[in-house]
Every structure is written in C-alpha cells, then in structure tokens.
Amino acid sequence: MDLKQFIKDQARALGFCGAGFAGARLGSEYTRRLQVAIRPPYVRWEPEARTNAASLLPGARSVLALAFPYRERMGLQLPAPGQGYFSPFAQAPDYHSLVGEKIEALISKISQQLPDLRSAYQVDNGPCSERVWALAAGVGWQGKNNFIIVPDAGSFVWLGLLALDIPLEPDQPLASACGDCTRCLEACPTNAYPEANRFLWPRCMAYWTTDKGELSEGQCRMLSRHQIVYGCDYCQLACPHNLVHGEPGTVELAPLFDISAAEFRRQFGDTAFWRGRRVLRRNARIAAGQPPGTFLIG
C-alpha cells in the first residue's frame, strides 16, 4: 500500500482541497521567513519552535499539512447601510472545531492501517506555523500578501497540521504562480503591504478589529468607511486565483451596540471571534460611524 497516497485520498474524501507532507523539522529558510515577520505583541512568536514538529508532537517524524476550503462563504457585495462586514473565515461554525473534527476523522482512518500510530494536530491553535509548513509541503505557494494559495482553490482556506511519528517522503514546494500581478497589494486600503511579502500589521484593519486598546480617530474613520466589524479580506478578494460565489459576510449593526453576554454567546459562541463581547460592541459602533474617541476596551 502507498501510505502517502492513501492518506491524501482519505483527506480529499473528507473535503480537504490540499494535502502535502514535510519533514519533522523545516530548514533555515523557513525559520528566516518567520524571524523577519514582526508580529503583534499579543501573538506568541517563537520561530525555532514553529518550524520544529517536536514542539507539537515529541518524536514526530513527519508532518501532513492540510487545507480546507471556505470560498463558498465569500461574496463581493458590500455591506448595506446599517450592516457591517464580519469576515466569513470567522463565522459559524468555528473553523478550529470544524477542521479539527475533519483531522480527527482522518487520524481514525490512518489508525485503521497503523494501530500504534502516535499523532497530534493543530488548527491555528498550536506551536507550529501552518503557513510555512503548507508552503514547505507543496500544499500551495506563498502569495505576495503572504497567504497560501492552493491550486484550484485559492487562498480562502483554513490550514491545519497533523504531526506523525512515522517517516514519510516529503513533497516538493510549489513554484509561485503570481507572476507580475500585484492586485492584492494594491487592494489594501491602508497600504499594509508596501511591497511584496512585507506586511506591516499596525496598518492592517483586521488587526485593528482585534485590538483591545483605544483606536485612533484615523483608524475609526477607516473602519467606519469600510463598515468593518471583524476581519478584512480586500487583499484576498482582489486575487485572480480566488473565485467567489457566496454571500458577503455581514451582520446587522444596531443589535450589537449593547449585546448582552447571553446573546453574544448564542450568536457568536460558535464563531472564531475570540476578542470578546466588549470589542464586538465597540467595533459595531465604529462601523456604524459613531464618533470615535470613546471606545477604550479595558
């Protein structure tokens, strides 16, 4: 039995649009990519650990990188008056659980062939960097906006990693198919990408929507202008590799201004909005154009 092909076939049957293998430790080029990427202060960032699968599974021998598509959630229509943009990547069901359950089902399939298999997985919630592993494993190439672009699926994918204690031949990375295109860079309203693969997170509207501090008047004006409550997908929506055919991610703003804890849990408990009710209330008021300067979140 070709174990690698068996695993990939099972992953495809479970809905994954990309699957590739890499060794248990990535080379220095991948560590360097992470070392030059400055991250927000509230994001734990240890490049050495993020390129070593032992930080996920002691004794790991190989890693399976996986991509699961969500482009059917994406649409191009702008929010109507009274609505705000809530990125579909974070909508219900929470992708951490959805993709995690898919990986657990895949582990079950593999374990039928290898009963003594040891494994561990993560979905944007572990010590390893999903993007660099997906790049190394040939799941996709790195776009100029740093997102992994999967052939025939684009960058509207959730990534996950499955570390295994068995050695499997690594797959080869993919060459970039971006060419001279710079649409993703040009689409960013705040110029968060001054050049290819150089990302300035303090300029990114998506990061502003997660900040628990006081937003500036300029930040509030931009979020209000684009009616953004959570996330920002301008650079991805501009990419010609992303075909979208769903509805836009929108929420009604007024009910969020003073949303109760119980209603927040009911409406957003199964989403990936992880910054809490007070941040959501602040963001909704800003998206609605209420005067900035009073949105300090303790």
Side-chain angles (χ1 to χ4, degrees):
M1 180 185 65
D2 185 338
L3 184 58
K4 273 185 60 176
Q5 193 58 51
F6 169 79
I7 294 174
K8 289 184 177 182
D9 289 345
Q10 295 299 318
R12 290 281 181 180
L14 287 166
F16 290 98
C17 61
F21 287 92
R25 186 158 193 166
L26 301 183
S28 59
E29 165 62 16
Y30 297 97
T31 304
R32 185 196 64 79
R33 286 172 181 262
L34 296 178
Q35 288 172 334
V36 300
I38 302 173
R39 306 298 292 183
Y42 50 81
V43 176
R44 187 177 178 184
W45 201 242
E46 299 173 347
E48 291 292 342
R50 286 184 170 265
T51 56
N52 186 351
S55 60
L56 177 60
L57 175 70
R61 304 286 299 279
S62 59
V63 173
L64 174 64
L66 295 156
F68 196 88
Y70 66 89
R71 66 182 179 184
E72 73 280 356
R73 294 187 178 194
M74 303 301 300
L76 293 173
Q77 183 180 343
L78 295 175
Q83 294 181 332
Y85 185 75
F86 191 96
S87 180
F89 96 90
Q91 293 178 10
D94 185 344
Y95 70 91
H96 299 91
S97 300
L98 188 155
V99 180
E101 290 172 2
K102 295 286 185 179
I103 296 178
E104 288 176 357
L106 179 60
I107 293 171
S108 178
K109 294 289 186 181
I110 302 171
S111 296
Q112 292 175 13
Q113 305 295 327
L114 301 170
D116 297 325
L117 177 74
R118 290 178 55 251
S119 64
Y121 73 89
Q122 66 173 67
V123 182
D124 199 20
N125 56 3
C128 296
S129 171
E130 283 91 351
R131 288 191 188 183
V132 295
W133 288 94
L135 178 62
V139 170
W141 71 90
Q142 186 179 30
K144 294 177 182 178
N145 60 355
N146 294 336
F147 284 85
I148 296 299
I149 302 175
V150 180
D152 302 320
S155 65
F156 290 123
V157 296
W158 296 302
L159 299 174
L161 300 178
L162 173 59
L164 305 168
D165 69 345
I166 55 175
L168 292 167
E169 184 69 23
D171 291 308
Q172 294 300 308
L174 300 181
S176 172
C178 291
D180 296 331
C181 179
T182 56
R183 294 185 195 177
C184 61
L185 310 183
E186 296 161 3
C188 179
T190 59
N191 195 31
Y193 295 96
E195 59 187 20
N197 302 117
R198 184 184 173 207
F199 175 56
L200 303 180
W201 67 265
R203 296 183 185 177
C204 178
M205 290 193 290
Y207 278 109
W208 298 349
T209 63
T210 67
D211 194 338
K212 288 191 174 184
E214 185 174 7
L215 301 182
S216 70
E217 290 191 14
Q219 290 172 323
C220 291
R221 282 195 299 270
M222 287 297 293
L223 292 172
S224 177
R225 180 182 305 166
H226 297 282
Q227 297 170 252
I228 289 179
V229 173
Y230 189 56
C232 173
D233 296 304
Y234 278 97
C235 66
Q236 294 194 86
L237 287 168
C239 176
H241 294 283
N242 281 329
L243 301 177
V244 298
H245 46 74
E247 295 297 321
T250 58
V251 290
E252 296 297 322
L253 293 174
L256 304 182
F257 293 165
D258 297 297
I259 189 170
S260 67
E263 182 59 20
F264 175 81
R265 288 192 296 270
R266 187 193 70 78
Q267 191 172 346
F268 295 94
D270 189 30
T271 74
F273 185 83
W274 56 281
R275 295 302 274 176
R277 177 171 62 105
R278 290 184 293 175
V279 172
L280 178 68
R281 290 164 62 171
R282 176 201 66 183
N283 293 354
R285 290 179 178 275
I286 292 173
Q290 295 193 8
T294 58
F295 302 113
L296 182 64
I297 303 296

